[in-house]
C-alpha cells in the first residue's frame, strides 16, 4: 500500500516503524527517507523502540551522503 506525502515547508515526519514500534529502520529505509528530505527544512521524530539508534544512524548516513560528490 503506497502512502502519499503532503508537501510543505517545513516538512514533519513522525516515524512509528514500518511494521510497528518494534521495527528498526534499515539503511535502505533511511536512504529513501534522506531522498524525501533532501534540500528541504525537515523535522523527523523517530517514535519507535529504537528511536535513538535510528536517529543517530540517520544523522550519520546524511553526513556520508552529503560528503559524496
Amino acid at each position: 500500500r503506497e502512502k502519499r506525502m503532503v508537501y510543505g515547508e517545513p516538512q514533519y515526519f513522525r516515524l512509528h516503524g514500518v511494521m510497528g514500534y518494534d521495527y528498526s529502520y534499515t539503511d535502505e529505509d533511511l536512504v529513501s527517507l534522506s531522498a524525501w528530505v533532501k534540500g528541504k527544512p525537515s523535522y523527523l521524530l523517530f517514535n519507535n523502540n529504537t528511536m535513538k539508534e535510528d536517529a543517530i544512524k540517520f544523522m550519520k548516513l546524511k553526513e556520508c551522503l552529503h560528503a559524496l560528490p
Side-chain angles (χ1 to χ4, degrees):
R1 174 176 114 189
E2 184 175 304
K3 295 182 182 180
R4 294 181 180 225
M5 294 184 294
V6 177
Y7 294 97
E9 300 277 339
Q11 297 183 112
Y12 175 80
F13 295 90
R14 187 175 176 111
L15 307 165
H16 296 285
V18 176
M19 303 299 287
Y21 289 103
D22 288 332
Y23 186 79
S24 292
Y25 285 89
T26 66
D27 289 344
E28 183 178 323
D29 294 332
L30 298 176
V31 168
S32 294
L33 181 59
S34 179
W36 291 352
V37 301
K38 186 176 182 177
K40 300 174 186 172
S42 303
Y43 297 92
L44 289 85
L45 174 62
F46 289 90
N47 190 18
N48 57 334
N49 292 338
T50 56
M51 65 180 83
K52 180 181 176 185
E53 294 83 1
D54 288 340
I56 291 169
K57 188 164 53 168
F58 182 72
M59 289 187 299
K60 288 180 179 177
L61 176 75
K62 285 287 291 175
E63 289 175 10
C64 290
L65 292 174
H66 183 68
L68 293 174

